[in-house]
Amino acid sequence: MALKHEPTAPNHSAQDALRVLETVARHAGGVTDAEIARRTGIGSERLTALLLMLRREGYVEQTTDGAYVTGVALARLGSAQGHDQALSEQLQRTLDRLRDSVGAAVYISRYEDGEIKVTGCAEGPGTPAVHQWVDFRSAAHATAIGKSLLGQLDLNARRDHLSRHRPARLTSRTITNERVLLSKLDAQSPTVPVLDLQEYAPGTVCAAVPITAGSSVGCLALSLPLEHAHRLRQAAHTLNRGAAPVLLSLAI
């Protein structure tokens, strides 16, 4: 499967955060923010934001004298034993924070072995998950998740997927014409959230942003009831800005 990768802001943030973590990890006794800036070349304003995120996620801690040391979350993810469990728990905490930040149910998905897999979800009483009335694996053409994942593949991989999962009409807004769908996927910018405006289910709107770690294809998505559709674009941009911790967890 060939991929169509283009860098996005969350990818850059995650890469910068990794550079900061590597610098902190090399200084077991602690390292100041001034020294981190000198060694990484990251500007002070951006570094402050990155360190705040890394502290929030538990990857670094600040000592009483102001130096930074590695945190508990990094130690857990860095251990071969129990890594998968630690990663699952870390991702769930991050998804829960994103849910509260965007005020919507949040999902993480990946494209693996030619299929769409929703691997995590954060929902709540005020942020219900979308009712999955058609399996997401068969509805890539109609969901923000599916279109985001397909958009990261090359043309042959997209056609292969659509040959196995023929686009079916789920609502009056669903795109079922393969040529039109492929054209829209090709025109989609990786820096702009993919939207689903009642294409999968009446009364629900969704958005998704790509998260690519190495050769893997993934995305973060959110869903809102139609009465909150006016919040969709802003919520999607908030989700995109908050994607870096997810990418970071997958990269460690």
Side-chain angles (χ1 to χ4, degrees), residues 64-244:
T64 54
D65 62 358
Y68 289 90
V69 295
T70 56
V72 174
L74 183 62
R76 288 174 178 164
L77 286 178
S79 172
Q81 186 174 9
H83 172 271
D84 290 348
Q85 180 67 25
L87 176 59
S88 177
E89 292 172 356
Q90 184 73 17
L91 285 173
Q92 189 61 53
R93 284 192 293 269
T94 303
L95 291 180
D96 288 344
R97 279 194 288 270
L98 283 172
R99 174 201 60 205
D100 297 340
S101 176
V102 303
V106 173
Y107 316 79
I108 183 170
S109 305
R110 68 176 186 267
Y111 194 80
E112 187 176 84
D113 299 327
E115 299 294 349
I116 290 169
K117 297 181 179 181
V118 177
T119 56
C121 175
E123 57 178 314
T127 53
V130 64
H131 172 56
Q132 191 177 159
W133 74 285
V134 174
D135 194 318
F136 284 159
R137 290 176 297 180
S138 303
H141 64 293
T143 62
I145 285 174
K147 289 186 288 183
S148 178
L149 295 175
L150 291 181
Q152 296 174 63
L153 308 180
D154 69 5
L155 180 58
N156 288 335
R158 293 173 189 169
R159 283 176 168 162
D160 173 71
H161 183 92
L162 295 174
S163 71
R164 292 180 287 107
H165 298 286
R166 293 291 183 184
R169 186 169 300 282
L170 305 183
T171 76
S172 62
R173 294 174 177 265
T174 307
I175 299 173
T176 57
N177 184 296
E178 183 174 317
R179 180 181 57 81
V180 173
L181 178 62
L182 289 172
S183 177
K184 285 185 173 294
L185 291 174
D186 195 52
Q188 177 71 37
S189 167
T191 60
V192 177
V194 179
L195 303 181
D196 157 21
L197 305 176
Q198 301 189 86
E199 296 172 50
Y200 174 74
T204 301
V205 294
C206 305
V209 295
I211 51 169
T212 53
S215 61
S216 67
V217 170
C219 75
L220 282 174
L222 64 87
S223 65
L224 287 166
L226 183 60
E227 56 265 32
H228 293 290
H230 62 282
R231 295 202 295 114
L232 182 63
R233 291 185 186 276
Q234 183 57 50
H237 286 299
T238 301
L239 183 71
N240 195 36
R241 288 196 300 270

